[in-house]
Structures are given as C-alpha cells and as structure tokens.
Amino acid sequence: MNTPSASLTGGSWTLGDLTVTRFGYGAMQLAGPGAMGPPADHDGALAVLREAAALGITHIDTSGAYGPRVTNRLIREALRPYAASLHIVTKVGAVRDQQGGWPPARRPEDLRRAVREDLEDLGLESLDVVNLRLGDARGPRPGSLAEPFETLVELQRQGLIRHLGVSNATAEQVAEAQAIAPIVCVQNMYNLAYRQDDELIDELADKGIAYVPFFPLGGFTPLQSTALSAVATRLAATPMSVALAWLLRRSPNILLIPGTSSVAHLRENVTGAELSLSDEDLAELDKIGHRGVPAE
C-alpha cells in the first residue's frame, strides 16, 4: 500500500482509540442512482475503494441503507481482509422504501437488525463506529434520542460496536447522547455556505470529539458559488478542492468523507487536502457563510 505524506490525507484524528486520516471516503455514491441498487460498473466501484486504501485513506463511511446493503458488500469484496489501520464507520436508524425515501427505523429491533446486517455484510465481528441517524431527509428534528441510543449502548456492551456517534442531530441531541454514553463523532450537514453548527464544532473540538460534515458543496446560492469559483480560479483548483481545504482549515476536529464513484474524481478530491489557502483566501471564503443560510 502506498504511504502518502500527512498533508495528502489532512493529518489524523483519534476516534476513541482508533486513529484515522482526517481525509476519508464516503461510500454512498458507489450504489446505483439515488443510492439504490447495484452500481452500473461493479469493477469500477471496487477500483475506487482499492484506490482510496492505496492513497492511505483509513476512514471509510458507509451505511446498510445504501443500496440497501450494496456498499457494505462492495467494501467487503474490495478490501477484506482489512488492513489494521483501516476503520469503517457505519450508520443505522433509517432504511429505504420502494420510492427511494429514507423512513426512520429507530425501534430497538430495527437497530439490532441493522447492526447484525452490517456485521454480516462487512464481514466483521465488531463495528468500529456506529452513528445513530436522527431526524429525516429534511434535516435534524427535535426530540429525545434516549431509547434508540441506549439500544446501541447495549450492543456496544455486548462487544458488537466499539464506538458510538450521532448523525443529523441537533445540539440538544448531541448533549443528550453524551449524558448517556461517550460519543466519538457527530455527522451533520455543514459547508462553507451552511454553517449552522459553527458553535457546536468548537464545543466538540474542546472535548476531543470529531465533527464529520456531509454535503460539502450543497445549498450554495449562485452568488456563493461565484465567490467560491473565483477563489478556485485564482488557485488553479476546483471549487470542490477549495471547499474541502477550507473545511480542513476550519477546525482540527473536522473529518472529511467526500464520495465519488470515479477513481479520477477521488484523486481530484484528495488534492483538496494538499491545497494551501492564504489568509486572504480564508477571509474571502469565510464571507460566503455570512450571506445567508440556504433554504432546504
């Protein structure tokens, strides 16, 4: 396996007792359109996963809901036996319906079944990290997470899960989870334009808890996209690379999981971890997030 410089993968972070590269890979796009069904190019999907590992990426994000059960099986086929340094983070708490929707599935029996399926599909005896997905497809929603989170804590005590996290969560739900059991990460929507979690990110950094943003280029207005593109043009880089580089600079506890089904695009995304942003670049990019929060 190739061993890149620390800058290539943005340095590292510790999830509990697991050290991962800050620049990871999200497997959602390896499934078919809308994360439903198998990939059009099965061998190509395997190649992307193997290239991620070859680049030195040690954090792969997935879910049994992708496909459903497609990406986990691809990961097993491509990468098992797993390198000791490779860590797979999965999510439970939602399933797929026939229309491609994401209905919640957070009853105790739903979560136990999801964890069993993840273990089977990935070929593991214990899952490194499991995030409890809350809210719905529109975003976080208020409400107690006690019952589903306590179910995952029970599975953790049984040795089926090493570490816990939450996804699509409000700040109040993050605090509630921490009051029940330690968490190692929070996975929410966040990017240059959509910065509702700024305060939460800083609080988590102080506690040594990772923040994992998804949708790194989603929700931009045309004006915001123009501002991002202007910086990218000046740096001879892609807007995605600039957005990813900004996230890495935003806080040391931010871990990236951009997804793609293309080896070439994967390599392009990784360049975002190497991109150097000047103070002028950062100041210009920071203004994007203060031009209004995009509508859902």
Side-chain angles (χ1 to χ4, degrees), residues 188-202 211 213 215-216 218-220 224 246-247 249-251 254 282-294:
N188 277 359
M189 178 177 170
Y190 179 86
N191 57 44
L192 264 169
Y194 192 73
R195 297 180 55 179
Q196 81 293 347
D197 274 354
D198 270 333
E199 184 176 341
L200 177 61
I201 289 170
D202 296 337
Y211 184 92
F215 217 17
F220 282 65
Q224 291 164 335
W246 179 85
L247 285 166
R249 286 287 299 273
R250 167 62 183 83
S251 182
I254 287 182
L282 289 170
E284 192 169 339
L285 292 169
D286 280 341
K287 292 177 184 176
I288 293 175
H290 299 296
R291 292 176 180 166
V293 175

Side-chain angles (χ1 to χ4, degrees), residues 114-174:
V115 167
R116 287 196 304 269
E117 289 177 350
D118 284 354
L119 290 167
E120 177 185 344
D121 292 343
L122 289 166
L124 293 169
E125 294 184 358
S126 179
L127 300 172
D128 284 336
V129 183
V130 173
N131 285 312
L132 173 63
R133 186 184 189 276
L134 301 163
D136 55 32
R138 296 170 296 169
R141 293 292 178 262
S144 175
L145 54 61
E147 182 181 41
F149 194 70
E150 286 169 355
T151 299
L152 294 185
V153 172
E154 174 192 336
L155 294 172
Q156 183 183 41
R157 290 175 181 146
Q158 294 172 13
L160 301 180
I161 300 171
R162 293 180 69 175
H163 300 291
L164 299 171
V166 293
S167 176
N168 208 29
T170 66
E172 292 74 21
Q173 289 165 337
V174 172

Side-chain angles (χ1 to χ4, degrees), residues 25-50:
Y25 172 73
M28 181 178 177
Q29 292 187 33
L30 292 183
M36 289 289 284
D41 182 356
H42 182 89
D43 290 343
L46 300 181
V48 170
L49 289 163
R50 289 168 180 154

